[in-house]
Amino acid sequence: MIKPRTLSGFRDYLPSVMIPRERLMETARGVFRSFGFAPIDTPTLEYLEILTGKGSDETDRQIYRFEDNGGRSVGMRFDLTVPLARFAAQHISELGTPFKRYHIAPVWRGERPQAGRYREFVQCDFDTIGTESVMADIEVVAVINRLLESIGFDAFQISINNRAVLTELLRHLDLADKSVAVLRSLDKLAKIGRERVASEMCETADITPGQADNVLRLAELSGDAESVLDALPGITGGGEEAIGAINRLSDVYRGALAAEVPPHRIKVDVSIARGLDYYTGMIFETTLNDLPSIGSVCSGGRYDNLAGLYTKQHLPGIGASLGLDRLLAAMEQLELLPDAATPAPVFIAYFDPQHRDDYLRLSARLRASGIANEVYTDAKKLGVQLKYADAHGFRIAVIAGGNEWAAGNVQVKTLATKESAEIPYSHDQSGELVSCLERILASDL
Amino acid sequence: MIKPRTLSGFRDYLPSVMIPRERLMETARGVFRSFGFAPIDTPTLEYLEILTGKGSDETDRQIYRFEDNGGRSVGMRFDLTVPLARFAAQHISELGTPFKRYHIAPVWRGERPQAGRYREFVQCDFDTIGTESVMADIEVVAVINRLLESIGFDAFQISINNRAVLTELLRHLDLADKSVAVLRSLDKLAKIGRERVASEMCETADITPGQADNVLRLAELSGDAESVLDALPGITGGGEEAIGAINRLSDVYRGALAAEVPPHRIKVDVSIARGLDYYTGMIFETTLNDLPSIGSVCSGGRYDNLAGLYTKQHLPGIGASLGLDRLLAAMEQLELLPDAATPAPVFIAYFDPQHRDDYLRLSARLRASGIANEVYTDAKKLGVQLKYADAHGFRIAVIAGGNEWAAGNVQVKTLATKESAEIPYSHDQSGELVSCLERILASDL
């Protein structure tokens, strides 16, 4: 006998966990589509040289790699960005630009498993490629807003920044050649605080405490978006390129308002830079007001050239990624997830085999009226069946024995309250039962 | 520069292909849920010994396998049945029975790529585990019927058989010990015809031409379900166990009618046995009347014990698998697939940057009314934008320049017919435009 078990860092998804995961992915797909983003998919396995071309040493080490039966060096994708770059380079002449795609798919990283980190996880990305238009930047804010709203959140904040504003400040302070190290440290502001960021900057980027203070003053600008935007020209020195960068940021803010993103949800936060070195323009992060500690649940930004390793065609783009696992963890902590192991709300008990066909027909009638339902498979005692219904999180049980079938009634039992009602039903007149079930399902019980 | 390319046997899915794929998977999920099947997911990688435990030598050879960084022998799953068996053995005490799950996920087989065969493909399975009840058998027929109907097919045939009927005939003919070889040959009846099946049977199973003729007479019973069911007792000899097997088959047929599967869609076909050796009871296949040559698009059956390799718990079950790739190929051949590279039907041209905020707001208003739409990202010439809209398969273009915005109108252009109409629109009064778009989208154009 072989011991049934999963590999360390990998997970089985049981129904009660998979149901909200699927719902979240469906909501995301619906939102992406409503903006004209189209789905794509790419192979799990790629030539290893495709995957290792751009990644850092760290991601390279984490790639699951092997030699296939044909002697090719292959690897399992570790993100959806490298496959997108390869895909775009290969197909862009057929696809045309702008190319707007979403991609929801698993990726693999052979990293050390830790709490909340897995070796297999799903990424959920959307990007617009082949345009530098501010319209695409604005749209990212609108998509993020609609994603979080559609998932069921009301209180969240989308932080926006233009990385070029910081770059221009650094140039103004004569720190242009140290920008990567400075931005890396700055990115930790929320995590480790001003003092430690300042000392790290001085150390790793070799700058003076005065310069660090200047950078931090910019990053710490706070208050409403308008006042932050107003203060920026002064702090950055107000050179032509700085003003250009500030205008772009301001444009994205104002455009997002026009796209009906509520102003209180947008924060202009000049401190966010995000670790990844390839973001060159706008940057986005999203935090939940009720659970800011969980970190950003949707992040992204603009990059100069997506696919330079695979094509000479210059492909600027912008996009973001919804953090499915993090969002689900947040929803669980905030008790926003229903605890059900069934996707169907109505349970039909089966305890009179002589009426087997009646149960089947009742089930078909309800389903045809749009009510998902399950007939229990075995004519066991009612108690056993109701225990099953409770354990699975069904909301209503429909019960009928010989007497009920003879009288043309069924019993409708609301499982949360244990309330029951007799409802007239025959296969030809199912309207009253359907209305009754719809009414209960529409209520909060 | 690295040449962008995919591995042999693997595919990129471009939007025009991925859109109907996603729609098909969504339809399938909706149908599974409407019967109370719940989603699960399992890891892509499993311990190799889990995967090789039950498979045939052929599938074992096809497994993508390697040693991970921790020195473990691992493999990529080659189907969803072995992971289901491992999953059930591991979790069934928590899940309880009956356990009804669906699983839509990719699998990998390192086989020689051929036309229409890939090394990575998606399987779409549903199963009910832990019950021998005929209710579960009947439900499979009802699910298949609803799947095909919901996908958009009207003319299809679900062939049902009880493998035990054949087994009983073979016992009656004294061929019980040769059943595997006989059934394997019989399974080719539709493909290679009576004569070749008969001679193959005599050769591989070492039986007489008379015996082969007997088996074939049973398999060739045709006509409506009732008359086939009536003829079975006579041909099988009418022993007690044969009658039991025939009654089960008859029960499934009659139950499916009660579950409102139209009788003309069900065929009792005693010839189907399916190659897999582990089916022990009911067997299902589904063919499209307009394209029978493509083979079965949804097949499955009942098995005695799912997870015997991993647990002592006896887990009988029944299920089937929807052939996504085959169905999509059929739908393409039958011209049932729309050819669009966008999931949004409405295109909003953007050619007056002064009104940027108006386009954004218009887009938001339409989206809030449930109309998926895309604003073009760059203020290029209208001709360029309409070419983009046509190429992507948008159905309507909404066009407004300075004059229109001033007059409180937009132009609505139906792209298939080139018809245009001026429709009143302001951000506060969008009702007329929404109705007009809904009307056009509801039509066949």
Coordinates of all heavy atoms in Angstrom, one line a residue, chain A residues 187-218:
Chain A
D187 N 11.7 51.3 -0.5 CA 10.6 50.4 -0.6 C 10.3 49.7 0.7 O 9.2 49.2 0.9 CB 10.9 49.3 -1.6 CG 9.8 49.0 -2.6 OD1 8.9 49.9 -2.7 OD2 9.7 48.0 -3.2
K188 N 11.2 49.8 1.7 CA 11.0 49.2 3.0 C 10.4 50.1 4.0 O 10.3 49.8 5.2 CB 12.3 48.6 3.5 CG 12.9 47.6 2.5 CD 14.2 47.0 3.0 CE 14.9 46.1 1.9 NZ 16.3 45.9 2.3
L189 N 10.1 51.3 3.5 CA 9.7 52.4 4.5 C 8.5 51.9 5.4 O 8.6 52.1 6.6 CB 9.3 53.7 3.7 CG 9.0 54.9 4.6 CD1 10.2 55.3 5.5 CD2 8.7 56.1 3.7
A190 N 7.5 51.4 4.8 CA 6.4 51.0 5.6 C 6.7 49.8 6.6 O 6.2 49.8 7.7 CB 5.2 50.5 4.7
K191 N 7.7 49.0 6.2 CA 8.0 47.8 7.0 C 9.0 48.2 8.1 O 8.8 47.7 9.2 CB 8.7 46.8 6.1 CG 7.8 45.6 5.8 CD 8.6 44.5 5.1 CE 7.8 43.8 4.0 NZ 8.6 43.2 3.0
I192 N 10.1 48.9 7.8 CA 11.1 49.0 8.9 C 11.2 50.5 9.4 O 12.0 50.7 10.3 CB 12.5 48.5 8.3 CG1 13.0 49.4 7.2 CG2 12.4 47.1 7.9 CD1 14.4 49.0 6.7
G193 N 10.5 51.4 8.8 CA 10.5 52.8 9.4 C 11.6 53.7 8.9 O 12.6 53.2 8.3
R194 N 11.4 55.0 9.1 CA 12.3 56.0 8.6 C 13.8 55.8 9.0 O 14.7 55.9 8.1 CB 11.8 57.4 9.1 CG 12.7 58.6 8.6 CD 12.2 59.9 9.2 NE 11.9 60.9 8.2 CZ 12.8 61.7 7.7 NH1 14.1 61.6 8.1 NH2 12.5 62.5 6.7
E195 N 14.0 55.6 10.3 CA 15.4 55.6 10.8 C 16.2 54.5 10.1 O 17.3 54.8 9.6 CB 15.3 55.4 12.3 CG 16.4 56.1 13.0 CD 16.1 56.2 14.5 OE1 14.9 56.5 14.8 OE2 17.0 55.9 15.3
R196 N 15.6 53.3 10.1 CA 16.4 52.2 9.5 C 16.6 52.4 8.0 O 17.6 52.0 7.5 CB 15.7 50.9 9.9 CG 16.0 50.5 11.4 CD 15.3 49.3 11.8 NE 15.7 48.1 11.0 CZ 15.1 46.9 11.0 NH1 14.0 46.8 11.7 NH2 15.5 45.9 10.3
V197 N 15.5 52.9 7.3 CA 15.7 53.2 5.9 C 16.8 54.2 5.7 O 17.7 54.0 4.8 CB 14.4 53.7 5.3 CG1 14.6 54.2 3.9 CG2 13.3 52.5 5.2
A198 N 16.8 55.2 6.4 CA 17.9 56.3 6.3 C 19.3 55.7 6.4 O 20.1 55.9 5.6 CB 17.6 57.4 7.3
S199 N 19.4 54.9 7.5 CA 20.8 54.3 7.7 C 21.1 53.3 6.7 O 22.3 53.2 6.2 CB 20.9 53.8 9.2 OG 20.1 52.6 9.3
E200 N 20.1 52.5 6.2 CA 20.4 51.5 5.2 C 20.8 52.2 3.9 O 21.7 51.8 3.2 CB 19.2 50.6 4.9 CG 19.5 49.5 4.0 CD 18.3 48.6 3.6 OE1 17.6 48.1 4.5 OE2 18.0 48.5 2.4
M201 N 20.1 53.3 3.6 CA 20.4 54.1 2.4 C 21.9 54.6 2.4 O 22.6 54.5 1.4 CB 19.5 55.3 2.2 CG 18.3 55.1 1.5 SD 17.4 56.7 1.3 CE 15.8 56.1 0.8
C202 N 22.2 55.2 3.5 CA 23.6 55.7 3.7 C 24.6 54.6 3.5 O 25.7 54.8 2.8 CB 23.8 56.4 5.0 SG 22.7 57.8 5.3
E203 N 24.3 53.5 4.0 CA 25.2 52.4 4.0 C 25.3 51.7 2.6 O 26.4 51.7 2.0 CB 24.7 51.3 4.9 CG 25.8 50.5 5.7 CD 25.2 49.7 6.8 OE1 24.8 50.3 7.8 OE2 25.0 48.5 6.6
T204 N 24.2 51.3 2.1 CA 24.2 50.5 0.8 C 24.4 51.4 -0.4 O 24.9 51.0 -1.4 CB 23.0 49.6 0.6 OG1 21.8 50.5 0.5 CG2 22.7 48.7 1.8
A205 N 23.8 52.6 -0.3 CA 23.9 53.5 -1.5 C 25.0 54.5 -1.4 O 25.3 55.3 -2.3 CB 22.6 54.2 -1.8
D206 N 25.7 54.5 -0.2 CA 26.8 55.5 0.0 C 26.4 56.9 -0.3 O 27.0 57.6 -1.1 CB 28.0 55.1 -0.9 CG 29.2 55.8 -0.6 OD1 29.3 56.3 0.6 OD2 30.1 56.0 -1.5
I207 N 25.3 57.4 0.4 CA 24.9 58.8 0.3 C 25.0 59.4 1.7 O 25.2 58.7 2.7 CB 23.5 58.9 -0.3 CG1 22.4 58.3 0.7 CG2 23.4 58.1 -1.6 CD1 21.0 58.5 0.2
T208 N 24.8 60.7 1.7 CA 24.9 61.4 3.0 C 23.6 61.4 3.7 O 22.5 61.3 3.1 CB 25.3 62.9 2.8 OG1 24.2 63.6 2.1 CG2 26.6 63.0 1.9
P209 N 23.6 61.6 5.0 CA 22.4 61.7 5.8 C 21.5 62.8 5.3 O 20.3 62.7 5.3 CB 22.9 61.9 7.2 CG 24.2 61.4 7.3 CD 24.8 61.6 5.9
G210 N 22.1 63.9 4.8 CA 21.3 65.0 4.3 C 20.5 64.6 3.0 O 19.3 64.9 2.9
Q211 N 21.2 63.9 2.1 CA 20.6 63.4 0.9 C 19.4 62.4 1.3 O 18.3 62.5 0.7 CB 21.6 62.7 0.0 CG 22.5 63.7 -0.7 CD 23.7 63.0 -1.4 OE1 24.3 62.1 -0.9 NE2 24.0 63.5 -2.6
A212 N 19.7 61.5 2.2 CA 18.7 60.5 2.6 C 17.5 61.3 3.1 O 16.3 60.9 2.9 CB 19.3 59.6 3.7
D213 N 17.7 62.3 3.9 CA 16.6 63.1 4.5 C 15.8 63.7 3.4 O 14.5 63.7 3.4 CB 17.2 64.1 5.4 CG 16.1 64.9 6.1 OD1 15.3 64.3 6.9 OD2 15.9 66.1 5.8
N214 N 16.4 64.2 2.4 CA 15.7 64.8 1.2 C 14.8 63.8 0.6 O 13.6 64.1 0.3 CB 16.7 65.3 0.2 CG 16.8 66.8 0.2 OD1 15.9 67.5 0.4 ND2 18.1 67.3 0.1
V215 N 15.4 62.6 0.3 CA 14.6 61.6 -0.4 C 13.4 61.2 0.5 O 12.3 61.1 0.0 CB 15.4 60.3 -0.6 CG1 14.6 59.2 -1.2 CG2 16.6 60.7 -1.6
L216 N 13.6 61.1 1.8 CA 12.6 60.7 2.7 C 11.5 61.7 2.8 O 10.3 61.4 3.0 CB 13.2 60.3 4.0 CG 13.8 58.9 4.0 CD1 14.8 58.7 5.2 CD2 12.7 57.8 4.0
R217 N 11.9 63.0 2.8 CA 10.9 64.1 2.9 C 9.9 63.9 1.7 O 8.7 64.1 1.9 CB 11.6 65.4 2.8 CG 11.8 66.0 4.2 CD 11.9 67.5 4.2 NE 13.0 67.9 3.3 CZ 13.0 68.9 2.5 NH1 11.9 69.7 2.4 NH2 14.0 69.2 1.7
L218 N 10.5 63.6 0.5 CA 9.5 63.5 -0.6 C 8.6 62.3 -0.4 O 7.4 62.3 -0.6 CB 10.4 63.2 -1.9 CG 9.5 63.0 -3.2 CD1 9.1 64.3 -3.7 CD2 10.2 62.2 -4.2

